[in-house]
């Protein structure tokens, strides 16, 4: 047994002073430092130092590692120019993305205190590095393909990738999962099969949804930039589904919808009623000209959301603190302290619940995944800790996964 203590601990009941945690792979006991020192005289004691805050390990629910080679190649400003640039540079970027680069990007996440991430994979190429890193990975095998002629073959390939992610060693900490690329890019027949598979196996399920105005226009009326795009690259001019039909396809399986920036109130209400959640990627949304997700509406609907980085195809870093700071600035009408608290919750307990993980909070029986943040000074009030953590942190000062000290 080991014992860790910091100046403050982020608990389900707020930031608490003078707590300690006894753990092995899991959190065994939480009590005052004095009590635990007495009860566990043989436990090795680690104090995280002045101005330290002990958090559960952070969770980035949505990232694409396979686009890690992009820095300046893709064009930002509008979804339309971005999508065109992806088509142009896609092969080049995928070619340039090797295991060394992807590994570096997982290390960047780890350095910012991310102990678990949800990796969306279209080819399965990331699985090898994901099995060799200390983090937990929810491995979202992505289903993509709007052309009915290829649907069976694509579904078969998807099943093979699912199998590969199921067959990893236990130590690899991989959770197999299902990702539906989007309403415009997946044939409804295979979409239904993939949702059924996720429901049967109780796998996490995610789908990009209503990211851009162009997507909305295409799904509503078959018009706009997607019409040009589909005519040019797929020789079709009709969408494979519409907004309502796509939403209904997920009724039986709580889904982590990515973006939803362009969802209307009634659509958000429907998603909330069915127990779904949202991954909010503020920097990606800003760079692709997609708009602002109205997180205040999610609060009214009691719909859980996470803050996630998305991939480097629409971002400049995978540092979760960069993303939290962007969210803090983007939602400028929200009270600062309250928003900061929500943001921290979104990458800890809310994210863990959404992905079905036994992590994300400092409670007995949870996995011993910890991220220690050291502030430059201690805020006057515990109410300010979440905000000051978001403002001042570039890197975690310590990271533990399954009780093992990684940083
Ligand atoms: C497809 O594979 O059908 C597809 C991929 C990306 C965008 C749109 C469609
Ligand atoms: Fe994404």
């Amino acid at each position: 047994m080991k014992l860790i203590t910091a100046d403050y601990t982020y608990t389900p009941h707020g930031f608490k002073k003078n707590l300690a945690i006894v753990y092995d792979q899991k959190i065994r006991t939480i009590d005052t430092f004095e009590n635990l020192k007495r009860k566990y005289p043989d436990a090795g004691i680690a104090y995280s130092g002045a101005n330290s805050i002990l958090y559960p390990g952070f969770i980035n629910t949505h990232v694409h590692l396979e686009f890690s080679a992009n820095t300046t190649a893709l064009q930002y400003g509008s979804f339309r120019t971005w999508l065109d640039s992806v088509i142009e540079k896609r092969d080049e970027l995928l070619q340039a993305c090797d295991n060394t680069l992807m590994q570096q990007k997982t290390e960047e996440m780890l350095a910012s205190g991310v102990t678990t991430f949800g990796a969306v994979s279209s080819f399965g190429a990331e699985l090898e590095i994901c099995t060799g890193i200390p983090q937990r990975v929810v491995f979202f095998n992505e289903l993509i393909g709007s052309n009915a002629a290829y649907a069976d073959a694509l579904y078969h390939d998807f099943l093979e990738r699912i199998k590969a992610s199921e067959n990893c060693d236990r130590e690899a900490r991989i959770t197999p999962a299902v990702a539906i690329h989007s309403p415009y890019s997946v044939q409804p027949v295979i979409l239904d099969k993939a949702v059924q598979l996720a429901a049967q196996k109780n796998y996490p399920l995610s789908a990009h949804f209503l990211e851009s105005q162009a997507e909305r226009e295409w799904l509503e009326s078959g018009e706009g930039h997607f019409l040009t795009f589909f005519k040019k690259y797929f020789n079709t001019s009709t969408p494979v589904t519409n907004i309502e039909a796509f939403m209904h396809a997920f009724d039986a399986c709580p889904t982590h919808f990515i973006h939803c920036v362009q969802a209307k109130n009634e659509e958000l209400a429907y998603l909330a009623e069915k127990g779904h959640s949202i991954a909010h990627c503020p920097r990606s949304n800003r760079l692709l000209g997609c708009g602002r997700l109205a997180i205040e509406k999610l609060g009214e609907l009691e719909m859980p959301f996470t803050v996630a980085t998305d991939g480097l195809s629409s971002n400049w870093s995978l540092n979760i603190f960069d993303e939290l700071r962007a969210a803090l600035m983007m939602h400028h009408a929200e009270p600062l302290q309250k928003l900061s608290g929500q943001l921290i919750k979104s990458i800890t307990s809310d994210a863990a619940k959404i992905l079905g993980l036994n992590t994300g909070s400092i409670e007995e029986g949870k996995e011993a995944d910890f991220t220690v943040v050291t502030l430059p000074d201690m805020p006057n009030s515990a109410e300010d800790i979440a905000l000051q953590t978001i403002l001042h942190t570039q890197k975690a000062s310590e990271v533990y996964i399954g009780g093992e000290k990684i940083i």
Side-chain angles (χ1 to χ4, degrees):
M1 292 286 187
K2 293 182 210 152
L3 187 156
I4 183 165
T5 182
D7 284 358
Y8 275 93
T9 302
Y10 177 74
T11 77
H13 317 288
F15 290 93
K16 303 286 177 200
K17 243 182 175 161
N18 193 35
L19 280 189
I21 296 162
V22 166
Y23 66 94
D24 43 30
Q25 281 151 317
K26 290 199 162 76
I27 296 175
R28 296 301 173 193
T29 317
I30 306 162
D31 202 340
T32 62
F33 177 63
E34 290 73 24
N35 282 351
L36 289 187
K37 207 170 69 167
R38 200 165 353 97
K39 272 198 207 153
Y40 296 88
D42 299 329
I45 295 175
Y47 165 55
S48 298
N51 311 320
S52 54
I53 321 289
L54 179 63
Y55 287 97
F58 300 136
I59 302 166
N60 182 8
T61 61
H62 183 73
V63 61
H64 307 251
L65 288 174
E66 62 206 348
F67 277 102
S68 292
N70 177 56
T71 52
T72 60
L74 299 181
Q75 199 168 348
Y76 296 150
S78 79
F79 193 77
R80 178 190 184 130
T81 50
W82 177 78
L83 189 59
D84 289 345
S85 70
V86 171
I87 300 293
E88 195 193 325
K89 306 278 181 159
R90 194 170 178 271
D91 291 346
E92 209 175 293
L93 288 173
L94 290 173
Q95 278 258 311
C97 186
D98 59 11
N99 281 0
T100 311
L101 183 62
M102 289 193 282
Q103 168 106 21
Q104 269 173 18
K105 299 305 168 185
T106 68
E107 285 164 10
E108 181 186 348
M109 283 194 273
L110 185 68
S112 74
V114 169
T115 53
T116 301
F117 58 85
V120 181
S121 167
S122 16
F123 307 108
E126 311 87 331
L127 192 58
E128 190 184 340
I129 65 122
C130 287
T131 55
I133 57 175
Q135 285 115 309
R136 300 179 203 280
V137 182
V138 178
F139 199 82
F140 281 105
N141 296 286
E142 187 171 63
L143 183 63
I144 185 165
S146 60
N147 188 334
Y150 302 124
D152 283 346
L154 292 169
Y155 193 73
H156 177 79
D157 174 71
F158 160 80
L159 288 181
E160 292 296 308
R161 287 183 281 123
I162 289 273
K163 257 189 232 148
S165 64
E166 288 171 337
N167 291 338
C168 299
D169 283 354
R170 258 189 74 78
E171 303 91 79
R173 299 179 175 135
I174 302 279
T175 303
V178 174
I180 303 300
H181 178 261
S182 76
Y184 55 83
S185 61
V186 181
Q187 259 295 317
V189 178
I190 53 174
L191 158 67
D192 289 344
K193 280 165 76 166
V195 172
Q196 266 175 32
L197 182 141
Q200 265 164 18
K201 298 207 172 198
N202 203 18
Y203 286 166
L205 175 61
S206 86
H208 295 106
F209 188 36
L210 292 175
E211 176 177 13
S212 64
Q213 188 53 40
E215 176 183 337
R216 190 164 190 108
E217 195 181 356
W218 172 244
L219 296 175
E220 278 181 335
S221 61
E223 302 284 347
H225 183 61
F226 272 108
L227 177 59
T228 320
F229 174 86
F230 274 97
K231 271 187 179 161
K232 185 168 172 191
Y233 297 106
F234 294 91
N235 200 25
T236 60
S237 50
T238 38
V240 291
T241 189
N242 59 50
I243 291 171
E244 217 190 335
F246 187 73
M247 284 200 304
H248 287 196
F250 296 88
D251 281 355
C253 195
T255 303
H256 196 37
F257 284 103
I258 318 302
H259 303 309
C260 295
V261 174
Q262 297 297 335
K264 293 190 170 152
N265 283 355
E266 55 272 25
E267 290 151 358
L268 290 176
Y270 185 81
L271 297 177
E273 183 203 315
K274 295 293 175 193
H276 301 309
S277 61
I278 292 180
H280 174 39
C281 309
R283 289 187 289 168
S284 170
N285 297 158
R286 175 70 181 99
L287 294 175
L288 273 47
C290 291
R292 186 186 77 90
L293 175 72
I295 56 168
E296 61 283 3
K297 285 187 199 144
L298 306 185
E300 287 164 23
L301 294 166
E302 293 182 25
M303 187 177 190
F305 73 91
T306 66
V307 170
T309 57
D310 215 339
L312 288 168
S313 42
S314 58
N315 215 331
W316 66 88
S317 83
L318 298 182
N319 183 318
I320 199 71
F321 281 103
D322 288 342
E323 206 64 50
L324 296 178
R325 281 187 282 277
L328 205 63
M329 299 299 129
M330 179 181 260
H331 305 289
H332 55 83
E334 295 296 289
L336 256 187
Q337 284 176 335
K338 178 176 153 251
L339 176 59
S340 303
Q342 273 181 326
L343 296 178
I344 296 285
K345 194 162 167 274
S346 86
I347 60 159
T348 54
S349 56
D350 285 347
K353 271 186 215 136
I354 288 166
L355 296 183
L357 302 165
N358 187 34
T359 63
S361 63
I362 303 225
E363 286 177 277
E364 283 177 24
K366 296 284 177 192
E367 303 287 351
D369 292 4
F370 308 123
T371 288
V372 177
V373 159
T374 303
L375 294 178
D377 203 351
M378 194 47 85
N380 288 327
S381 147
E383 308 288 292
D384 280 337
I385 295 177
L387 170 64
Q388 297 297 358
T389 295
I390 294 172
L391 293 180
H392 288 285
T393 312
Q394 311 300 329
K395 287 187 172 179
S397 43
E398 295 171 32
V399 177
Y400 299 74
I401 300 175
E404 197 187 324
K405 191 166 195 283
I406 312 290
I407 291 180

